[in-house]
Amino acid sequence: MKRLDYIDTAKGICMLLIVFGHCGYDAAPPLLITWIYSFHVIAFYIISGLLSAHISEFDRPWKTLIKKSFFRLMVPYYGF
């Protein structure tokens, strides 16, 4: 199966944002750090989790995949 370059690029950018956000740079403006913390981990989680599940279940439509992933991942998250 062929890899999608734009997906790998998005995951790479998210990885860099995670490293930058968790290093605790004192020179970075607080607004930038707040902005990075607002989405960096969840973006990487969604890109990696949903798309890896889609590869193994390629014959299912996106709506079914997202619904199944939501209940499998988010219900335990909110339960804790």
Side-chain angles (χ1 to χ4, degrees), residues 3-39:
R3 293 184 64 93
L4 302 174
D5 292 334
Y6 60 91
I7 300 296
D8 289 337
T9 303
K11 285 170 55 176
I13 290 170
C14 287
M15 284 181 208
L16 291 175
L17 288 173
I18 288 173
V19 169
F20 182 77
H22 288 253
C23 283
Y25 290 115
D26 293 330
L31 185 61
L32 178 65
I33 297 299
T34 302
W35 179 73
I36 289 173
Y37 267 97
S38 68
F39 73 92

Side-chain angles (χ1 to χ4, degrees), residues 64-77:
T64 305
L65 177 66
I66 290 173
K67 184 178 176 182
K68 179 181 174 187
S69 296
F70 178 81
F71 286 111
R72 186 179 68 220
L73 300 172
M74 298 308 287
V75 170
Y77 173 77

